[in-house]
């Protein structure tokens, strides 16, 4: 089963989630987020001597910054900034210069624009474990190229935790889980069917929930209760991989996954009940889950947090200011 659900964005002040449907589906991902941090536009003060002023207009606001302040995340977690309004291409280099990333262990990285409203920063390679990171978004008086100007600054701090990774072999029906490069456990899995294959590539964990309501209708698989592809289930131990609805979880329709059962999902990765609970308790937001052997392409970089599905040259092609090294905390 697969659920298409929101949940990749953390609000600047309160929690916010991406809105989507709930089910194991084959759709792509686009980034939408709720919540906001609206402020009144700043008015220039009067003066006896004329001074340059910005054009009057509504404020440029940041809707979300992820990770949330205080979070401990995995080594594949990007920093994701979502604006409430489009940022013009000509303004992006200036905006990027006001999005300062600092780290306790300096690393090379870059911003990449996922459309007009979302910019993600990732290191060239995975974060080193134990790195402390700060993002300072000093948007005051910064223009978005569309008549809006920032009115305040934002700061988020987070820590990169243990290096936990999961490598899924679709053809081998296995998931190998490592911690700090040491194999912890090999689990039996089933991935997507030929009709509904699982995304290939590396997907950082978006979030996880103990139970998720999954329906085939919500992702356009089938709304016909008589269809063999119809389902309406609440399933346990759900680790969320893509906005389009890929999960690692337990399924009542596939209780003993592995090469012997050879049952395919609608795109999710199925584990046994005990393995699903164990895996749920091992992983955190930002831990990389890498799928190989599926006939499907890699998930797009904006389908959740799949930044590492782009090569470094591809990532830089979406940056306005290019590669940079983090400031030192």
């Amino acid at each position: 089963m697969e659920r298409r659900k929101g949940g990749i964005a953390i609000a600047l002040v309160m929690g916010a989630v991406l809105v989507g449907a709930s089910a194991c589906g084959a759709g792509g991902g686009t980034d939408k987020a709720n919540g906001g941090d609206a402020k009144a536009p700043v008015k220039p003060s009067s003066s006896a001597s004329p001074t340059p002023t910005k054009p009057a207009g509504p404020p440029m606001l940041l809707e979300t910054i992820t990770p949330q302040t205080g979070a401990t995340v995995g080594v594949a977690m990007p920093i994701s900034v979502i604006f409430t309004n489009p940022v013009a291409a000509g303004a992006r280099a200036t905006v990027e210069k006001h999005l300062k990333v600092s780290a306790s262990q300096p690393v090379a990285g870059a911003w990449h624009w996922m459309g007009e409203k979302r910019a993600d920063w990732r290191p060239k390679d995975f974060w080193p474990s134990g790195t402390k990171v700060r993002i300072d978004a000093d948007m005051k008086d910064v223009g978005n190229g569309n008549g809006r100007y920032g009115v305040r600054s934002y700061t988020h701090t987070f820590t990169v935790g243990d290096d936990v990774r999961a490598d899924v072999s679709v053809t081998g029906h296995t998931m190998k889980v490592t911690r700090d490069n040491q194999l912890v456990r090999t689990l039996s899995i089933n991935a997507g069917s030929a009709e509904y294959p699982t995304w290939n590539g590396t997907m950082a964990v978006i979030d996880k929930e103990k139970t998720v309501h999954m329906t085939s209708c919500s992702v356009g698989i089938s709304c016909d209760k008589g269809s063999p592809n119809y389902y309406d289930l609440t399933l346990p131990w759900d680790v969320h991989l893509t906005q389009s609805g890929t999960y690692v979880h337990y399924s009542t329709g596939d209780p003993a996954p592995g090469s012997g059962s050879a049952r395919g999902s609608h795109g999710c990765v199925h584990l046994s009940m005990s393995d699903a609970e164990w895996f749920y308790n091992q992983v955190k937001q930002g831990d990389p889950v890498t799928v190989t052997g599926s006939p499907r392409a890699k998930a797009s970089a904006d389908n959740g947090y799949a930044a590492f599905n782009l090569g470094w040259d591809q990532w830089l092609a979406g940056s306005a200011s290019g590669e940079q090294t983090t400031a030192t905390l």
Side-chain angles (χ1 to χ4, degrees), residues 36-296:
D37 198 31
K39 303 287 181 184
V42 173
K43 296 181 180 180
S45 59
S46 60
S47 174
S49 301
T51 57
T53 59
K54 301 289 189 300
M60 176 179 71
L61 302 172
L62 271 62
E63 190 165 312
T64 60
I65 296 177
T66 309
Q68 188 176 29
T69 287
T72 297
V73 301
V75 296
M77 187 69 203
I79 300 168
S80 187
V81 176
I82 299 177
F83 297 82
T84 55
N85 297 96
V87 177
R92 292 176 190 171
T94 299
V95 169
E96 288 179 22
K97 289 176 182 177
H98 287 82
L99 296 171
K100 180 182 176 182
V101 180
S102 304
S104 59
Q105 301 180 61
V107 296
W111 290 100
H112 179 98
W113 288 84
M114 314 280 192
E116 298 179 316
K117 295 183 180 180
R118 176 180 169 185
D120 283 16
W121 194 96
R122 53 154 273 204
K124 186 174 182 179
D125 302 305
F126 287 165
W127 293 102
S129 293
T131 303
K132 296 184 184 303
V133 185
R134 185 177 72 209
I135 166 70
D136 290 298
D138 183 8
M139 293 290 102
K140 189 172 182 180
D141 296 330
V142 177
N144 71 351
N146 291 312
R148 292 175 177 266
Y149 288 84
V151 296
R152 57 163 289 186
S153 297
Y154 311 81
T155 298
H156 277 215
T157 59
F158 62 94
T159 300
V160 180
D162 292 347
D163 186 348
V164 176
R165 310 185 191 191
D167 293 294
V168 175
S169 169
V170 172
T171 54
H173 297 275
T174 59
M175 172 193 283
K176 295 183 183 296
V177 180
T178 61
R179 182 182 297 275
D180 298 327
N181 297 315
Q182 299 297 314
L183 180 65
V184 178
R185 195 166 171 181
T186 300
L187 311 175
S188 294
I189 64 98
N190 279 333
S193 66
E195 185 178 4
Y196 300 102
T198 303
W199 290 109
N200 268 316
T202 297
M203 294 151 277
V205 171
I206 296 170
D207 55 27
K208 59 183 183 178
E209 298 179 75
K210 288 186 176 180
T211 59
V212 170
H213 182 209
M214 301 188 179
T215 69
S216 57
C217 189
S218 66
V219 288
I221 292 176
S222 178
C223 296
D224 178 6
K225 292 184 178 181
S227 168
N229 285 312
Y230 178 85
Y231 56 84
D232 185 342
L233 300 166
T234 298
L235 299 171
W237 309 120
D238 305 285
V239 176
H240 193 189
L241 300 184
T242 68
Q243 187 191 345
S244 62
T246 309
Y247 282 79
V248 178
H249 69 143
Y250 170 77
S251 174
T252 53
D254 190 15
S259 58
S261 65
R263 293 195 58 163
S265 73
H266 289 91
C268 286
V269 176
H270 289 169
L271 296 170
S272 69
M273 178 69 87
S274 60
D275 285 351
E277 182 178 3
W278 178 86
F279 183 68
Y280 178 95
N281 289 321
Q282 299 302 306
V283 295
K284 59 190 172 296
Q285 182 186 44
D287 284 339
V289 177
T290 301
V291 177
T292 57
S294 174
R296 198 173 189 185

